[in-house]
Amino acid sequence: MRFAASTLIVSAIVFLYFRWLHVNPTTVGFTLLLAILLISAAWGLRYATFTAIIATVAYNFFFLPPLFRFTIADPQNWIALLAFLFTAVVASQLSERARRGMAYADQRRREVEKLYSFSQQLWLSENVFELLNIIPKHIIDSFTVSGAALFVEGKQETYFFDEASRSRFPADQLKSISDRGEPVLDREHRICFMPLRMGLRSVGALGLSDCDLSRESLEAIGSLVAISIERANTMDKLSRSEAARESDRLRSVLLDSVTHEFRTPLTSIKAAAETLLSEVELDKPQRKDLLQVINEESDRLNRLVGEAGEVAQLDAHQLQFSFEMHQLYEPIEAAIRNSQPALRRHPVECTITKSLPSVRMDVDRITEVIVHLLDNAAKYSAPDTPIHITAELRDSEIVTSVADHGPGVDEMEQEMIFEKFYRGRDQRMIIQGTGMGLPIAKAIVELHGGTIGVTSQLGRGSLFYFSLPVA
């Protein structure tokens, strides 16, 4: 089609000048030369060379005397004809070279754009295992290749895009490419092997099938993959190091908090025991009071040990549950009984909506949640102020709340108080506590599929609530 089109263009120019526009041969030659240059720029060198030959023959036959013969009478016309043919071919070659250069530059531009898109995909993942599994897929998606395989030195593992890639790129061959550190480009079979290098150190190798990428692009891909793997490894190490530091910090905070809280009941128990063992004469009510102190402080000590153990179990995901269908009034009544020492100076007002549906729960754990909320309410409320307990059905959840008349919780701290060992900055030096109760309550409620939260106003009190889904 293009050869026919080139012939048609030359014929049209010859017909135009020969039949209608009677001009000198020089004008005709320049017009034909311009057509040859345009064809070279649009279609390439071989079409321009064919056009130059056809144009030379037509120029000789129609415009150089003697006309209508393939002979030239004037020797100067031979020089003009050869100059025309030479100029046409050279100009066509130059135009083709510029065209190829433009195509090569456009190809490199597209490769750079693909490399940029590929690098953006690599930075999205910071997990090493996830990154290594998706690198072959990212390469397939970003570049015109049909198969990809990745070998990583540190893990001594190979990751493939599909089963065809697994059979095409043996692990031993990829490992040898990584060990040698030199690329292997089989252009005949369109298979490329590229080592992944970080400076002088090889971190793996990459295999690509149906690969027409330039060596420079392959080296850039290898460098990007190597950098992303090293970055993910570094982030993983930093995360582990940060987790270890955080674990050490939590242990230290737990030890300090528990040690401080242990001293108060131990001091009370020790003082009461020494008084009972002394030779001081005590009447029956006094002895009973001291024994009551020992009993209550022992319960408090036991509860502190239990909370510390629960925190450790929560961190290790080893907290055991026994789910059964129960009415919510059961844990509420049990919690009020268990919290009697803390509630001695607080009247409790309990409002439970009648005919609440049963809830699938671990009744002992939900009792523990309510005990924590009641203890906090009693601890932070002024003596003789009431504590309100309500339970009602909202949509498909039963919401239980404990309201007090304490100092309230600042809005900035309402999320933080559910973190381990955190205690309100205005109360931590006044009210004793470990900061373990609310985090334990939150973990228990969330493992039941519910939520826990607080609404509060400074100086007006707080309302802690948790919801449990209806079975």
Side-chain angles (χ1 to χ4, degrees), residues 126-129 155 231-249 251:
E126 295 181 354
N127 180 278
V128 179
F129 180 76
K155 297 181 178 295
R231 173 180 172 273
N233 281 326
T234 302
M235 294 296 294
D236 187 54
K237 291 177 182 177
L238 286 175
S239 298
R240 292 181 182 179
S241 176
E242 185 63 28
R245 283 199 299 269
E246 182 66 14
S247 178
D248 291 339
R249 186 188 70 81
R251 288 195 193 97

PDB file of all heavy atoms in Angstrom, residues 126-129 155 231-249 251:
ATOM      1  N   GLU A 126       5.532  -2.384  52.894  1.00  0.00           N
ATOM      2  CA  GLU A 126       6.658  -2.379  53.822  1.00  0.00           C
ATOM      3  C   GLU A 126       6.879  -3.751  54.444  1.00  0.00           C
ATOM      4  O   GLU A 126       7.811  -3.945  55.197  1.00  0.00           O
ATOM      5  CB  GLU A 126       6.427  -1.343  54.928  1.00  0.00           C
ATOM      6  CG  GLU A 126       6.391   0.082  54.409  1.00  0.00           C
ATOM      7  CD  GLU A 126       6.176   1.087  55.514  1.00  0.00           C
ATOM      8  OE1 GLU A 126       5.952   0.656  56.669  1.00  0.00           O
ATOM      9  OE2 GLU A 126       6.226   2.305  55.232  1.00  0.00           O
ATOM     10  N   ASN A 127       5.986  -4.706  54.121  1.00  0.00           N
ATOM     11  CA  ASN A 127       6.127  -6.063  54.616  1.00  0.00           C
ATOM     12  C   ASN A 127       6.979  -6.867  53.637  1.00  0.00           C
ATOM     13  O   ASN A 127       6.664  -6.933  52.445  1.00  0.00           O
ATOM     14  CB  ASN A 127       4.743  -6.702  54.780  1.00  0.00           C
ATOM     15  CG  ASN A 127       4.821  -8.118  55.300  1.00  0.00           C
ATOM     16  OD1 ASN A 127       5.039  -9.055  54.542  1.00  0.00           O
ATOM     17  ND2 ASN A 127       4.658  -8.267  56.604  1.00  0.00           N
ATOM     18  N   VAL A 128       8.060  -7.479  54.119  1.00  0.00           N
ATOM     19  CA  VAL A 128       9.001  -8.161  53.229  1.00  0.00           C
ATOM     20  C   VAL A 128       8.331  -9.314  52.501  1.00  0.00           C
ATOM     21  O   VAL A 128       8.466  -9.464  51.279  1.00  0.00           O
ATOM     22  CB  VAL A 128      10.215  -8.673  54.031  1.00  0.00           C
ATOM     23  CG1 VAL A 128      11.188  -9.403  53.119  1.00  0.00           C
ATOM     24  CG2 VAL A 128      10.921  -7.522  54.723  1.00  0.00           C
ATOM     25  N   PHE A 129       7.599 -10.152  53.225  1.00  0.00           N
ATOM     26  CA  PHE A 129       6.981 -11.330  52.606  1.00  0.00           C
ATOM     27  C   PHE A 129       5.981 -10.910  51.535  1.00  0.00           C
ATOM     28  O   PHE A 129       5.959 -11.469  50.436  1.00  0.00           O
ATOM     29  CB  PHE A 129       6.283 -12.158  53.688  1.00  0.00           C
ATOM     30  CG  PHE A 129       5.610 -13.388  53.157  1.00  0.00           C
ATOM     31  CD1 PHE A 129       6.331 -14.508  52.801  1.00  0.00           C
ATOM     32  CD2 PHE A 129       4.228 -13.409  52.995  1.00  0.00           C
ATOM     33  CE1 PHE A 129       5.702 -15.636  52.300  1.00  0.00           C
ATOM     34  CE2 PHE A 129       3.592 -14.535  52.496  1.00  0.00           C
ATOM     35  CZ  PHE A 129       4.335 -15.650  52.145  1.00  0.00           C
ATOM     36  N   LYS A 155      17.005 -15.097  51.799  1.00  0.00           N
ATOM     37  CA  LYS A 155      16.008 -16.109  52.125  1.00  0.00           C
ATOM     38  C   LYS A 155      16.230 -17.412  51.372  1.00  0.00           C
ATOM     39  O   LYS A 155      15.602 -18.434  51.689  1.00  0.00           O
ATOM     40  CB  LYS A 155      14.609 -15.577  51.821  1.00  0.00           C
ATOM     41  CG  LYS A 155      14.235 -14.363  52.658  1.00  0.00           C
ATOM     42  CD  LYS A 155      12.826 -13.896  52.334  1.00  0.00           C
ATOM     43  CE  LYS A 155      12.439 -12.713  53.208  1.00  0.00           C
ATOM     44  NZ  LYS A 155      12.366 -13.077  54.629  1.00  0.00           N
ATOM     45  N   ARG A 231      14.944  -1.918  51.645  1.00  0.00           N
ATOM     46  CA  ARG A 231      14.114  -0.992  52.440  1.00  0.00           C
ATOM     47  C   ARG A 231      13.102  -1.760  53.284  1.00  0.00           C
ATOM     48  O   ARG A 231      12.914  -1.465  54.472  1.00  0.00           O
ATOM     49  CB  ARG A 231      13.374  -0.038  51.499  1.00  0.00           C
ATOM     50  CG  ARG A 231      12.351   0.858  52.184  1.00  0.00           C
ATOM     51  CD  ARG A 231      11.673   1.758  51.154  1.00  0.00           C
ATOM     52  NE  ARG A 231      10.565   2.494  51.753  1.00  0.00           N
ATOM     53  CZ  ARG A 231       9.319   2.030  51.839  1.00  0.00           C
ATOM     54  NH1 ARG A 231       9.043   0.818  51.352  1.00  0.00           N
ATOM     55  NH2 ARG A 231       8.366   2.749  52.396  1.00  0.00           N
ATOM     56  N   ALA A 232      12.446  -2.756  52.678  1.00  0.00           N
ATOM     57  CA  ALA A 232      11.470  -3.546  53.436  1.00  0.00           C
ATOM     58  C   ALA A 232      12.138  -4.315  54.562  1.00  0.00           C
ATOM     59  O   ALA A 232      11.599  -4.410  55.674  1.00  0.00           O
ATOM     60  CB  ALA A 232      10.741  -4.505  52.495  1.00  0.00           C
ATOM     61  N   ASN A 233      13.343  -4.861  54.286  1.00  0.00           N
ATOM     62  CA  ASN A 233      14.085  -5.558  55.356  1.00  0.00           C
ATOM     63  C   ASN A 233      14.431  -4.609  56.491  1.00  0.00           C
ATOM     64  O   ASN A 233      14.318  -4.951  57.669  1.00  0.00           O
ATOM     65  CB  ASN A 233      15.363  -6.179  54.789  1.00  0.00           C
ATOM     66  CG  ASN A 233      15.099  -7.477  54.056  1.00  0.00           C
ATOM     67  OD1 ASN A 233      14.214  -8.233  54.446  1.00  0.00           O
ATOM     68  ND2 ASN A 233      15.837  -7.737  53.007  1.00  0.00           N
ATOM     69  N   THR A 234      14.853  -3.394  56.135  1.00  0.00           N
ATOM     70  CA  THR A 234      15.205  -2.405  57.156  1.00  0.00           C
ATOM     71  C   THR A 234      13.986  -2.005  57.974  1.00  0.00           C
ATOM     72  O   THR A 234      14.055  -1.907  59.209  1.00  0.00           O
ATOM     73  CB  THR A 234      15.823  -1.158  56.495  1.00  0.00           C
ATOM     74  OG1 THR A 234      16.974  -1.541  55.740  1.00  0.00           O
ATOM     75  CG2 THR A 234      16.239  -0.144  57.546  1.00  0.00           C
ATOM     76  N   MET A 235      12.843  -1.775  57.292  1.00  0.00           N
ATOM     77  CA  MET A 235      11.620  -1.424  58.008  1.00  0.00           C
ATOM     78  C   MET A 235      11.179  -2.551  58.927  1.00  0.00           C
ATOM     79  O   MET A 235      10.710  -2.316  60.049  1.00  0.00           O
ATOM     80  CB  MET A 235      10.512  -1.099  57.006  1.00  0.00           C
ATOM     81  CG  MET A 235      10.756   0.145  56.169  1.00  0.00           C
ATOM     82  SD  MET A 235      10.816   1.652  57.164  1.00  0.00           S
ATOM     83  CE  MET A 235       9.134   1.735  57.741  1.00  0.00           C
ATOM     84  N   ASP A 236      11.346  -3.800  58.465  1.00  0.00           N
ATOM     85  CA  ASP A 236      10.978  -4.940  59.291  1.00  0.00           C
ATOM     86  C   ASP A 236      11.849  -5.019  60.534  1.00  0.00           C
ATOM     87  O   ASP A 236      11.359  -5.253  61.649  1.00  0.00           O
ATOM     88  CB  ASP A 236      11.097  -6.223  58.466  1.00  0.00           C
ATOM     89  CG  ASP A 236      10.577  -7.442  59.205  1.00  0.00           C
ATOM     90  OD1 ASP A 236       9.425  -7.404  59.656  1.00  0.00           O
ATOM     91  OD2 ASP A 236      11.322  -8.420  59.331  1.00  0.00           O
ATOM     92  N   LYS A 237      13.154  -4.798  60.350  1.00  0.00           N
ATOM     93  CA  LYS A 237      14.060  -4.821  61.504  1.00  0.00           C
ATOM     94  C   LYS A 237      13.748  -3.683  62.470  1.00  0.00           C
ATOM     95  O   LYS A 237      13.776  -3.865  63.698  1.00  0.00           O
ATOM     96  CB  LYS A 237      15.510  -4.716  61.028  1.00  0.00           C
ATOM     97  CG  LYS A 237      15.998  -5.944  60.280  1.00  0.00           C
ATOM     98  CD  LYS A 237      17.419  -5.751  59.770  1.00  0.00           C
ATOM     99  CE  LYS A 237      17.890  -6.963  58.984  1.00  0.00           C
ATOM    100  NZ  LYS A 237      19.248  -6.765  58.413  1.00  0.00           N
ATOM    101  N   LEU A 238      13.463  -2.493  61.915  1.00  0.00           N
ATOM    102  CA  LEU A 238      13.115  -1.368  62.782  1.00  0.00           C
ATOM    103  C   LEU A 238      11.827  -1.634  63.545  1.00  0.00           C
ATOM    104  O   LEU A 238      11.719  -1.300  64.732  1.00  0.00           O
ATOM    105  CB  LEU A 238      12.967  -0.094  61.938  1.00  0.00           C
ATOM    106  CG  LEU A 238      14.257   0.535  61.421  1.00  0.00           C
ATOM    107  CD1 LEU A 238      13.937   1.704  60.498  1.00  0.00           C
ATOM    108  CD2 LEU A 238      15.126   1.025  62.577  1.00  0.00           C
ATOM    109  N   SER A 239      10.843  -2.250  62.866  1.00  0.00           N
ATOM    110  CA  SER A 239       9.576  -2.560  63.544  1.00  0.00           C
ATOM    111  C   SER A 239       9.798  -3.541  64.680  1.00  0.00           C
ATOM    112  O   SER A 239       9.243  -3.392  65.772  1.00  0.00           O
ATOM    113  CB  SER A 239       8.577  -3.127  62.536  1.00  0.00           C
ATOM    114  OG  SER A 239       8.280  -2.191  61.536  1.00  0.00           O
ATOM    115  N   ARG A 240      10.619  -4.558  64.398  1.00  0.00           N
ATOM    116  CA  ARG A 240      10.892  -5.535  65.460  1.00  0.00           C
ATOM    117  C   ARG A 240      11.652  -4.899  66.610  1.00  0.00           C
ATOM    118  O   ARG A 240      11.373  -5.170  67.785  1.00  0.00           O
ATOM    119  CB  ARG A 240      11.694  -6.701  64.892  1.00  0.00           C
ATOM    120  CG  ARG A 240      10.910  -7.559  63.902  1.00  0.00           C
ATOM    121  CD  ARG A 240      11.748  -8.706  63.386  1.00  0.00           C
ATOM    122  NE  ARG A 240      11.014  -9.491  62.403  1.00  0.00           N
ATOM    123  CZ  ARG A 240      11.529 -10.549  61.779  1.00  0.00           C
ATOM    124  NH1 ARG A 240      12.768 -10.927  62.039  1.00  0.00           N
ATOM    125  NH2 ARG A 240      10.794 -11.203  60.902  1.00  0.00           N
ATOM    126  N   SER A 241      12.602  -4.049  66.265  1.00  0.00           N
ATOM    127  CA  SER A 241      13.364  -3.374  67.318  1.00  0.00           C
ATOM    128  C   SER A 241      12.461  -2.461  68.132  1.00  0.00           C
ATOM    129  O   SER A 241      12.544  -2.413  69.369  1.00  0.00           O
ATOM    130  CB  SER A 241      14.504  -2.568  66.684  1.00  0.00           C
ATOM    131  OG  SER A 241      15.203  -1.838  67.657  1.00  0.00           O
ATOM    132  N   GLU A 242      11.571  -1.730  67.424  1.00  0.00           N
ATOM    133  CA  GLU A 242      10.643  -0.849  68.122  1.00  0.00           C
ATOM    134  C   GLU A 242       9.680  -1.647  68.994  1.00  0.00           C
ATOM    135  O   GLU A 242       9.354  -1.243  70.115  1.00  0.00           O
ATOM    136  CB  GLU A 242       9.863  -0.016  67.113  1.00  0.00           C
ATOM    137  CG  GLU A 242       8.937   1.023  67.720  1.00  0.00           C
ATOM    138  CD  GLU A 242       9.677   2.086  68.505  1.00  0.00           C
ATOM    139  OE1 GLU A 242      10.851   2.356  68.174  1.00  0.00           O
ATOM    140  OE2 GLU A 242       9.081   2.643  69.449  1.00  0.00           O
ATOM    141  N   ALA A 243       9.230  -2.803  68.464  1.00  0.00           N
ATOM    142  CA  ALA A 243       8.335  -3.651  69.256  1.00  0.00           C
ATOM    143  C   ALA A 243       9.044  -4.178  70.501  1.00  0.00           C
ATOM    144  O   ALA A 243       8.444  -4.246  71.582  1.00  0.00           O
ATOM    145  CB  ALA A 243       7.829  -4.813  68.400  1.00  0.00           C
ATOM    146  N   ALA A 244      10.322  -4.543  70.338  1.00  0.00           N
ATOM    147  CA  ALA A 244      11.073  -5.026  71.500  1.00  0.00           C
ATOM    148  C   ALA A 244      11.251  -3.919  72.536  1.00  0.00           C
ATOM    149  O   ALA A 244      11.114  -4.149  73.750  1.00  0.00           O
ATOM    150  CB  ALA A 244      12.432  -5.560  71.056  1.00  0.00           C
ATOM    151  N   ARG A 245      11.557  -2.704  72.050  1.00  0.00           N
ATOM    152  CA  ARG A 245      11.707  -1.577  72.982  1.00  0.00           C
ATOM    153  C   ARG A 245      10.387  -1.267  73.677  1.00  0.00           C
ATOM    154  O   ARG A 245      10.353  -0.991  74.887  1.00  0.00           O
ATOM    155  CB  ARG A 245      12.211  -0.345  72.235  1.00  0.00           C
ATOM    156  CG  ARG A 245      13.686  -0.372  71.916  1.00  0.00           C
ATOM    157  CD  ARG A 245      14.208   1.020  71.598  1.00  0.00           C
ATOM    158  NE  ARG A 245      13.542   1.586  70.446  1.00  0.00           N
ATOM    159  CZ  ARG A 245      13.971   1.452  69.192  1.00  0.00           C
ATOM    160  NH1 ARG A 245      15.065   0.745  68.946  1.00  0.00           N
ATOM    161  NH2 ARG A 245      13.331   2.015  68.192  1.00  0.00           N
ATOM    162  N   GLU A 246       9.289  -1.318  72.910  1.00  0.00           N
ATOM    163  CA  GLU A 246       7.981  -1.050  73.505  1.00  0.00           C
ATOM    164  C   GLU A 246       7.623  -2.119  74.527  1.00  0.00           C
ATOM    165  O   GLU A 246       7.052  -1.823  75.584  1.00  0.00           O
ATOM    166  CB  GLU A 246       6.921  -0.992  72.402  1.00  0.00           C
ATOM    167  CG  GLU A 246       5.512  -0.680  72.879  1.00  0.00           C
ATOM    168  CD  GLU A 246       5.367   0.713  73.458  1.00  0.00           C
ATOM    169  OE1 GLU A 246       6.276   1.545  73.260  1.00  0.00           O
ATOM    170  OE2 GLU A 246       4.337   0.973  74.112  1.00  0.00           O
ATOM    171  N   SER A 247       7.973  -3.378  74.206  1.00  0.00           N
ATOM    172  CA  SER A 247       7.710  -4.457  75.153  1.00  0.00           C
ATOM    173  C   SER A 247       8.504  -4.260  76.437  1.00  0.00           C
ATOM    174  O   SER A 247       7.980  -4.441  77.544  1.00  0.00           O
ATOM    175  CB  SER A 247       8.062  -5.801  74.511  1.00  0.00           C
ATOM    176  OG  SER A 247       7.855  -6.859  75.408  1.00  0.00           O
ATOM    177  N   ASP A 248       9.768  -3.868  76.297  1.00  0.00           N
ATOM    178  CA  ASP A 248      10.581  -3.594  77.495  1.00  0.00           C
ATOM    179  C   ASP A 248      10.009  -2.433  78.289  1.00  0.00           C
ATOM    180  O   ASP A 248       9.996  -2.461  79.535  1.00  0.00           O
ATOM    181  CB  ASP A 248      12.031  -3.296  77.087  1.00  0.00           C
ATOM    182  CG  ASP A 248      12.745  -4.524  76.544  1.00  0.00           C
ATOM    183  OD1 ASP A 248      12.280  -5.634  76.841  1.00  0.00           O
ATOM    184  OD2 ASP A 248      13.744  -4.347  75.819  1.00  0.00           O
ATOM    185  N   ARG A 249       9.540  -1.406  77.564  1.00  0.00           N
ATOM    186  CA  ARG A 249       8.976  -0.256  78.269  1.00  0.00           C
ATOM    187  C   ARG A 249       7.710  -0.640  79.021  1.00  0.00           C
ATOM    188  O   ARG A 249       7.499  -0.246  80.173  1.00  0.00           O
ATOM    189  CB  ARG A 249       8.643   0.859  77.262  1.00  0.00           C
ATOM    190  CG  ARG A 249       8.191   2.158  77.912  1.00  0.00           C
ATOM    191  CD  ARG A 249       7.685   3.142  76.869  1.00  0.00           C
ATOM    192  NE  ARG A 249       6.433   2.710  76.289  1.00  0.00           N
ATOM    193  CZ  ARG A 249       5.249   2.894  76.874  1.00  0.00           C
ATOM    194  NH1 ARG A 249       5.159   3.487  78.046  1.00  0.00           N
ATOM    195  NH2 ARG A 249       4.146   2.469  76.282  1.00  0.00           N
ATOM    196  N   ARG A 251       6.948  -3.620  80.107  1.00  0.00           N
ATOM    197  CA  ARG A 251       7.324  -4.434  81.277  1.00  0.00           C
ATOM    198  C   ARG A 251       7.774  -3.547  82.423  1.00  0.00           C
ATOM    199  O   ARG A 251       7.434  -3.779  83.588  1.00  0.00           O
ATOM    200  CB  ARG A 251       8.442  -5.408  80.892  1.00  0.00           C
ATOM    201  CG  ARG A 251       8.014  -6.550  79.999  1.00  0.00           C
ATOM    202  CD  ARG A 251       9.071  -7.641  79.966  1.00  0.00           C
ATOM    203  NE  ARG A 251       8.814  -8.586  78.898  1.00  0.00           N
ATOM    204  CZ  ARG A 251       9.385  -8.548  77.707  1.00  0.00           C
ATOM    205  NH1 ARG A 251      10.252  -7.582  77.429  1.00  0.00           N
ATOM    206  NH2 ARG A 251       9.093  -9.440  76.786  1.00  0.00           N
TER     207      ARG A 251
END
